[in-house]
Amino acid sequence: MSTLTKENDFTLLGHKPALFVLFFTEMWERFSYYGMRAIFVLFLTSSFADGGWEWTTNRAIGLLGIYTSSVYLTPIIGGFLADKLLGYQKAVAIGALAMTLGHAAMAVETETMLYLGIGLLILGNGLFKPNVTSIVSGLYNEYPDRKDGAFTIFYMGVNAGGFLGVLLCGFLASNLSFSWGFGLAGVFMFLGMLQFWFGRSIFGEVGKEPTSKVDLSDAIENSQAVEEKIPANVQRDRYIVVAILAFLTVFFWAAFEQASGSMTIFAKNYTQLKLVGNSASIFKIVDVLVTVLPLGIISWVLLKLFGQTFKKITLSNITLGISFLSIWAIALWKLSIIIPKENAEIEPSWFLILNSLFIIGLAPLFSKWWESKFNPSAAIKFAVGMILLGIGFGALAYGSSGIPQGAKTASVSLLWLVLAYLLHTMGELCLSPVGLSYVSKLVPAKKIGMMFGLWYLAIAAGNYLAAFVGGYIDVIVQQHSMSYFFLIFTIIPAGVGVLLLFLNPLIKKLMHGIR
């Protein structure tokens, strides 16, 4: 195939139409993941009268921690199985099926089915998560200069799915039942699986078969040749940097992942969720905009995709069309209920959409920062991320300072939560997207897979630690105060950030020229 013909493949917003098939596949998976996670702790801790199970906060957040930490471990196994046995395409489809069954099991609302559902979600995620990303990478192997842009678009799909899942699963859980919320996550995971499977022909040979042993041996041989050019003492120092950053990132995720645990409990029990007068009107306007505008933009992309691929992958596009018509129907139903009301009552899970929306809005700005002459070093980026995270919790500590010791409920202004999510997202953009990038720069090619696994292990540890500490929110509030609880997450990340500022000269030296 000629270079001209290959370049002519980039016909949809400057990229391959196949990328957008994966964009929507990932969007539905993230819809299901974040939608379920947004209502998980609320379901387990709510009263029987409200459709919950009346679990203690500690038990509920503990189970959430097992789930959120495990989903960072199973991709190591899922990637290995795809490379050796299944191929990326089959691995993604099987993973999507397992997650569909997992959501269906959770919708039954019995304890046995809950655990079965979580197990299936963990296993399915392990097969899905690393391999859909591998297909994106494979589509652009011959165009490395376009790969960053492709992953940026793909990452937008992640956040679009996240905010839609939280918005709509939370709405159904609050207005119908938790079963409907869990069930909706499963329905769109199922539709996403069908859309991917029916459209797989558009990927060509990418991910169709397992990676051949010849390709693997060649890659290892080539990476060894490159590695031999790097002095052993230099590589040792770079490993030390990876170890330092991985260890300290545990503290970031231990605080950041309070979002779906203790911060959701704070939103439910301690935040002013019933708005009247001008406050209610402003919230309604904001809610309409964050519902309709992103959906409109994504629908425009969808129509562009239809125009170029409908004849080639007809069933995939029909499935995708049905999915979006359903999303619009639920969204308009939501607005038809909210807008006519004189006052407004916010669902506790609503605040979780802020992270995705802030990422979509801020990511291009941070990307420009990293590409400018003011691009800071790795340690400075991590330090800024940690400090911003700490300041976000500091805002919550200050906002909740008026809550009496041992109080079970309060009405703190929702603006403190909004400010916290803004600062946390800014911190995430300083640390999360660049973490794996630095791993790939600092280690030799043949060790990247193992080092990525260790990096995900650090994230898993952070998620588990988040649940362990966050589960004690009731105990700490009873013995001290809500403000004291949030101060823990203010001091530790900020302290780590300051430590990184002091370590910056040493880390830069150990990186030996890597920026």
Side-chain angles (χ1 to χ4, degrees), residues 58-303:
N58 184 277
R59 185 183 179 190
I61 295 180
L63 183 57
L64 175 69
I66 292 172
Y67 170 56
T68 57
S69 59
S70 297
V71 297
Y72 284 100
L73 298 178
T74 51
I76 301 170
I77 301 171
F80 177 82
L81 289 174
D83 284 336
K84 297 291 187 180
L85 184 65
L86 298 171
Y88 301 141
Q89 293 185 20
K90 289 179 183 176
V92 169
I94 294 170
L97 177 60
M99 287 188 284
T100 297
L101 296 174
H103 288 297
M106 292 185 69
V108 176
E109 290 192 14
T110 67
E111 193 160 334
T112 299
M113 297 301 283
L114 174 70
Y115 293 129
L116 174 63
I118 290 173
L120 287 168
L121 289 172
I122 292 170
L123 293 173
N125 180 85
L127 286 167
F128 185 99
K129 190 177 181 68
N131 296 312
V132 71
T133 307
S134 295
I135 298 175
V136 174
S137 182
L139 289 172
Y140 286 80
N141 275 344
E142 297 180 34
Y143 307 95
D145 57 319
R146 294 179 181 262
K147 192 171 281 191
D148 285 351
F151 274 103
T152 299
I153 290 174
F154 185 72
Y155 195 56
M156 297 291 276
V158 170
N159 288 285
F163 108 85
L164 284 174
V166 172
L167 194 73
L168 301 183
C169 290
F171 167 72
L172 290 189
S174 295
N175 289 272
L176 294 178
S177 72
F178 287 105
S179 286
W180 280 93
F182 291 132
L184 187 68
V187 166
F188 283 105
M189 187 67 257
F190 177 69
L191 291 172
M193 177 191 69
L194 293 181
Q195 174 238 323
F196 172 81
W197 189 249
F198 293 147
R200 70 191 186 281
S201 63
I202 202 171
F203 309 130
E205 297 300 312
V206 176
K208 193 172 183 178
E209 299 295 335
T211 305
S212 68
K213 293 182 179 179
V214 174
D215 289 340
L216 281 175
S217 62
D218 286 347
I220 291 173
E221 186 176 321
N222 291 336
S223 69
Q224 286 174 331
V226 173
E227 184 183 7
E228 288 171 359
K229 298 178 182 178
I230 302 173
N233 287 337
V234 170
Q235 191 55 63
R236 182 204 62 185
D237 289 349
R238 290 175 177 174
Y239 282 138
I240 292 172
V241 173
V242 172
I244 292 171
L245 296 181
F247 174 72
L248 295 180
T249 201
V250 171
F251 296 95
F252 179 88
W253 294 110
F256 184 86
E257 287 298 336
Q258 296 302 312
S260 54
S262 62
M263 287 175 69
T264 297
I265 295 295
F266 179 76
K268 176 188 174 186
N269 297 331
Y270 299 94
T271 302
Q272 176 62 44
L273 299 179
K274 295 181 179 179
L275 305 178
V276 297
N278 291 335
S279 297
S281 300
I282 292 171
F283 174 76
K284 288 178 185 178
I285 293 171
V286 171
D287 201 31
V288 169
L289 291 176
V290 301
T291 301
V292 173
L293 286 181
L295 259 180
I297 294 170
I298 299 168
S299 298
W300 173 74
V301 175
L302 179 69
L303 292 174

